Amino acid sequence: MTSPLPSPLAEQVETAFWHRYGERPRLFCAPGRVNLIGEHTDYNDGFVLPMAIDRSTWVAATPRADRRVELHSLNLHARAHFDLDGPAGKQSHQWSAYVEGIARVLDKWGARPKGANLVIATDIPLGAGLSSSAALEIAAGLALLSVSGHEEVDRVQLARAGQKAEHDYVGTKCGIMDQYVSAMARVDHALLIDCRSLDAKQIPMKLTDHALLILDTGVKHELATSAYNQRRAECEEGTRLLRRALPNIRALRDVTPKDLEQHEHLLPDPIRRRVRHVVHENERTLRASRALKEGNLTEVGRLMAESHQSLRDDYEVSCPELDTLVEAVTGQPGVIGSRMTGGGFGGSTITIVRKDAVESVIAKATELFAQRHQRDPRALLTTAAAGAREL
Ligand code: GLA
């Protein structure tokens, strides 16, 4: 085998594959993500501004003559299989459901993937709100399509297939953000995604004096999926009620802050607060992308702080552990902005901080977090990384 490979994980999946199947696989990877701003806007046809992190899921793959897909996860020391010509497995949050889901969606959509042998490993922390599941879907989907002879993979379709897999085979009614950025990200760029048109703009994000600090609470609340689906339903209800005054709106994306001011009496609580979050978060996201383009990090930081407050008080998807981390770093020397990131109810925060202040900010966050929650948060530094690719 030829080496060196660019990551120890790539080497691991390749070696494990070789031992098991005695052939040389093709190697694919897809990154996790962190969202700078634009939270719970994607399923409202709105705007998001995520980037890929420099942690990925790797898949080693070869095609098979039949339609069976064999999976082996090195992280979980687990195996699974399914047959694309056989009945689908039940909806589940099992790791293999994400792979089976995207394989079956791609099949239904006409791509007819071949059977395949897949060996999988990841260095994305699981359950940290960094989209390890989207990375798994995208890496596996890209691998299955590529070894089936589809060399020009439509990345937006791939992201849509990943989203559909979560809806139908996992049971989370997620938006498109995580899969889209994992499939499309570019090094040193954040991605401003228009979740209605599915167009995106690459926004340069090369930080020279600043770092992106992710702090993981280590918390994953059981109610995350049901509360997520409930928020989504509340947004749909808000849209329906506002249509009485604004008959042309299709989603909360179409409601301006001014519209809302005029018509918010149509909305009972908590729908009013949910809608208020989404409408203003869309504005903040567009503003933040402009500020980032102009190199105005202070403005980006201010908008991040507003976003966190709104997610905490109006959208109610934060939790005490996330609030502790944001509170601990806010106002510390060198901190530009901090907020919860991702779906919420646990997971991580994202903080932009001057490089020379990283150590002291991690120390502060750890101190307050340990005092209140009797454990340490996990710190992770990242840069804006590349999207899915074959090695
Ligand atoms: C999860 C979902 C995304 C998005 C975020 C909240 O990560 O998978 O589609 O809705 O929550 O912004």
Side-chain angles (χ1 to χ4, degrees), residues 372-384:
R372 288 195 191 156
H373 310 293
Q374 290 74 50
R375 351 181 232 99
D376 291 352
R378 170 165 40 184
L380 202 143
L381 287 165
T382 190
T383 52

Side-chain angles (χ1 to χ4, degrees), residues 69-219:
V69 179
E70 271 192 21
L71 326 169
H72 179 187
S73 157
L74 298 185
N75 295 77
L76 304 173
H77 306 288
R79 293 178 200 287
H81 61 84
F82 57 91
D83 190 329
L84 282 165
D85 290 328
K90 278 213 289 287
Q91 250 191 12
S92 103
H93 285 81
Q94 288 281 318
W95 65 285
S96 53
Y98 297 92
V99 179
E100 177 167 358
I102 195 159
R104 291 201 188 273
V105 171
L106 290 169
D107 194 36
K108 273 197 188 146
W109 288 359
R112 271 200 76 76
K114 293 184 179 164
N117 295 325
L118 309 178
V119 173
I120 302 167
T122 191
D123 61 1
I124 306 170
L126 305 178
L130 300 173
S131 292
S132 57
S133 45
L136 175 57
E137 290 149 15
I138 297 303
L142 182 63
L144 284 172
L145 289 175
S146 304
V147 301
S148 305
H150 299 282
E151 298 301 340
E152 292 292 314
V153 173
D154 177 334
R155 297 298 178 104
V156 175
Q157 279 297 95
L158 182 62
R160 288 186 56 231
Q163 180 193 22
K164 179 89 175 131
E166 296 231 12
H167 288 196
D168 295 355
Y169 295 88
V170 180
T172 308
K173 298 281 176 211
C174 66
I176 190 86
M177 167 169 73
D178 307 344
Q179 291 80 6
Y180 195 113
V181 68
S182 183
M184 304 282 273
R186 194 189 288 171
V187 177
D188 289 333
H189 288 76
L191 200 57
L192 176 66
I193 308 169
D194 177 333
C195 300
R196 170 171 282 165
S197 67
L198 298 186
D199 287 334
K201 286 199 182 88
Q202 300 280 355
I203 313 285
M205 168 93 201
K206 194 168 171 56
L207 301 177
T208 42
D209 303 329
H210 294 87
L212 292 167
L213 171 63
I214 294 168
L215 291 169
D216 173 13
T217 61
V219 176

